């Protein structure tokens, strides 16, 4: 991985156009009923306990929830969308200079359009640019727009990593009846891990293309790390697989972040916390012509952490550890990197598909 050698002063800081969010769909879709946590209550007397109580059912049964009051203005969020738009407007040959080493499980940098076979013979419509933590060990060359906006990107990224997700990890620790800092210890900003801010764009397809792709933008899957945070994207496309097997749309509430539980927390809790299955589909017809630009943060634990079940009084009472410990002996970094590599595999025919990842542990994909 190449290392950045320029300083911020080497590149003139351009003025980015103001980002305009798309209008929401006028269609009334079958929305998922998700809980909303107002993190501005976190430091109030009894606030953490009240929020943890509110969160308990969501993380156990659905794995998705909203947060508000997370300490970032809409202007700050839109600035990141503007940076993402500028990246994806670069010529393809320029973006390919910063291609991520996907074949070896590394997501840092650019993931080109069509990197994954979505259905047999049909490639996806997704581009990504992933900005890892600004640590010396993780430095790499970046496009000028990322390099010159580095200070702003890092402030944004650090606020998520050191404030927002730390509050969520404390709440989840309370749910599990663990010391409040238990999960935070494995998710420090300075830890070597694959945490990253992601700029992501789904390129619009024609109605004929959507029909060939069965209206899929991304197959049903779980995420690899601990938590995923999706900043409000008004173009409806994200769906959750509910406990009854149905798919429900995620409504883009103003001023919110959509959060989902990912694989690592499911391992650490023996399945008590639900790594939620979700997919992305073609938007409703009044938005289907629009490219769908997204902004996400992926929280991933320190590489060297074992995925064995934690010593939680709650899990002990429920007898979960005695039922088996699939993650024991698997390192978090190894799990994440293997799943990234497997994303490059060819698609197979059929509906629900299982794929072995490590140590006999399998994951499912859904159409």
């Amino acid at each position: 991985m190449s290392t950045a050698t320029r300083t911020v002063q080497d590149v003139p800081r351009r003025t980015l156009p103001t980002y305009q969010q798309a209008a929401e769909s006028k269609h009334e879709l079958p929305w998922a009923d998700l809980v909303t946590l107002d993190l501005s209550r976190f430091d109030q007397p009894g606030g953490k306990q009240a929020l943890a109580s509110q969160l308990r059912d969501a993380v156990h049964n659905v794995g998705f929830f909203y947060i508000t009051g997370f300490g970032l203005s809409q202007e700050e969020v839109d600035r990141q969308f503007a940076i993402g738009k500028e990246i994806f407007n670069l010529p393809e040959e320029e973006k390919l200079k910063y291609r991520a080493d996907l074949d070896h499980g590394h997501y840092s940098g650019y993931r080109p359009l069509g990197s994954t076979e979505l259905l047999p013979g049909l490639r996806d419509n997704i581009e990504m640019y992933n900005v890892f933590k600004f640590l010396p060990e993780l430095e790499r060359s970046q496009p000028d727009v990322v390099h010159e906006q580095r200070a702003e990107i890092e402030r944004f990224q650090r606020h998520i990593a050191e404030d927002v997700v730390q509050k969520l990890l404390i709440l989840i620790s309370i749910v599990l009846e663990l010391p409040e800092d238990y999960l935070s210890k494995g998710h420090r900003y300075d830890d070597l891990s694959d945490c990253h801010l992601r700029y992501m764009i789904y390129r619009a397809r024609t109605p004929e293309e959507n029909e060939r792709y069965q209206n899929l933008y991304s197959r049903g899957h779980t995420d690899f790390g601990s938590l995923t945070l999706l900043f409000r994207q008004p173009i409806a496309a994200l769906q959750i697989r509910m406990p009854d097997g149905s798919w429900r749309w995620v409504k883009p509430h103003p001023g919110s972040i959509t959060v989902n539980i990912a694989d690592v927390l499911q391992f650490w809790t023996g399945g008590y916390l639900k790594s939620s299955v979700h997919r992305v589909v073609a938007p409703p017809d009044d938005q289907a012509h629009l490219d769908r630009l997204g902004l996400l943060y992926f929280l991933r634990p320190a590489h060297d952490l074992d995925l064995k079940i934690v010593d939680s009084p709650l899990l002990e009472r429920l007898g979960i550890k005695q039922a088996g410990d699939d993650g024991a002996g698997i390192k978090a970094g190894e799990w994440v990197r293997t799943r990234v590599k497997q994303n490059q595999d060819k698609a197979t025919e059929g509906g629900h598909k299982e794929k072995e990842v490590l140590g006999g542990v399998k994951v499912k994909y859904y159409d």
Side-chain angles (χ1 to χ4, degrees), residues 166-191:
Q166 296 306 319
K167 289 175 179 174
L168 294 177
L169 292 171
I170 287 171
L171 296 179
I172 294 170
S173 293
I174 292 172
V175 168
L176 297 173
E177 301 174 13
L178 294 166
E180 289 188 2
D181 64 349
Y182 188 93
L183 294 176
S184 299
K185 290 177 181 178
H187 296 89
R188 298 186 181 96
Y189 189 87
D190 291 336
D191 290 337

Side-chain angles (χ1 to χ4, degrees), residues 49 80 154 256 260 299 323 332 350:
Q49 288 70 27
Q80 295 302 314
E154 183 174 4
S256 70
N260 64 274
L299 178 68

Side-chain angles (χ1 to χ4, degrees), residues 69-337:
F70 45 82
L72 291 166
S73 69
Q74 189 60 50
E75 181 182 2
E76 289 173 297
V77 173
D78 285 346
R79 282 280 301 173
Q80 295 302 314
F81 275 99
I83 292 169
K85 185 174 181 179
E86 198 79 1
I87 292 170
F88 295 123
N89 283 343
L90 292 172
E92 186 66 13
E93 61 270 20
E94 178 68 15
K95 290 182 285 192
L96 287 172
K97 294 177 184 177
Y98 310 100
R99 184 173 186 151
D101 187 7
L102 301 172
D103 291 338
H104 292 93
H106 297 284
Y107 251 161
S108 180
Y110 177 60
R111 175 198 182 276
L113 189 74
S115 292
T116 298
E117 191 176 56
L118 185 59
L119 296 170
L122 299 174
R123 313 299 295 186
D124 67 38
N125 60 336
I126 305 168
E127 291 180 75
M128 301 176 190
Y129 197 89
N130 300 316
V131 179
F132 276 41
K133 295 181 290 187
F134 291 99
L135 302 177
E137 303 91 336
L138 302 176
E139 288 282 6
R140 61 155 299 145
S141 59
Q142 306 279 10
D144 284 353
V145 61
V146 174
H147 190 69
E148 67 195 48
Q149 307 294 335
R150 174 180 172 134
E152 185 171 355
I153 295 170
E154 183 174 4
R155 280 196 304 272
F156 190 88
Q157 190 186 72
R158 278 187 176 272
H159 179 79
I160 301 167
E162 297 178 339
D163 184 274
V164 180
V165 299
Q166 296 306 319
K167 289 175 179 174
L168 294 177
L169 292 171
I170 287 171
L171 296 179
I172 294 170
S173 293
I174 292 172
V175 168
L176 297 173
E177 301 174 13
L178 294 166
E180 289 188 2
D181 64 349
Y182 188 93
L183 294 176
S184 299
K185 290 177 181 178
H187 296 89
R188 298 186 181 96
Y189 189 87
D190 291 336
D191 290 337
L192 278 183
S193 70
D194 282 6
C195 296
H196 60 275
L197 186 67
R198 175 175 297 175
Y199 307 98
M200 183 175 189
I201 192 165
Y202 293 87
R203 298 295 187 181
R205 298 198 193 107
T206 65
E208 294 75 23
E209 287 172 328
N210 280 330
E211 185 175 355
R212 282 198 295 125
Y213 278 83
Q214 301 171 26
N215 281 329
L216 279 176
Y217 276 13
S218 178
R219 294 165 63 199
H221 63 281
T222 59
D223 288 343
F224 315 154
S226 302
L227 293 170
T228 302
L229 285 73
L230 169 66
F231 286 83
R232 177 181 178 265
Q233 166 47 265
I235 300 175
L238 177 62
Q239 294 184 339
I240 306 169
R241 192 169 190 267
M242 304 302 288
D244 64 1
S246 65
W247 293 98
R248 293 276 174 172
W249 297 73
V250 177
K251 191 172 180 62
H253 289 297
S256 70
I257 297 174
T258 303
V259 183
N260 64 274
I261 301 294
D263 291 350
V264 168
L265 289 178
Q266 179 163 298
F267 276 123
W268 281 342
T269 62
Y272 180 80
L273 297 183
K274 182 180 177 63
S275 185
S276 47
V277 176
H278 51 285
R279 68 181 182 182
V280 181
V281 299
D285 56 18
D286 57 349
Q287 295 181 318
H289 62 289
L290 299 171
D291 289 340
R292 185 175 186 268
L293 180 62
L295 176 67
L296 306 94
Y297 186 81
F298 288 85
L299 178 68
R300 291 177 174 166
H303 288 323
D304 59 354
L305 291 182
D306 195 289
L307 297 184
K308 65 183 179 182
I309 296 175
V310 299
D311 292 323
S312 155
L314 172 66
L315 301 181
E316 186 173 343
R317 283 201 310 277
L318 295 173
I320 285 176
K321 196 164 188 176
Q322 290 75 15
D325 195 346
D326 291 342
I330 299 175
K331 298 298 183 186
E334 185 183 18
W335 175 262
V336 169
R337 295 281 171 85

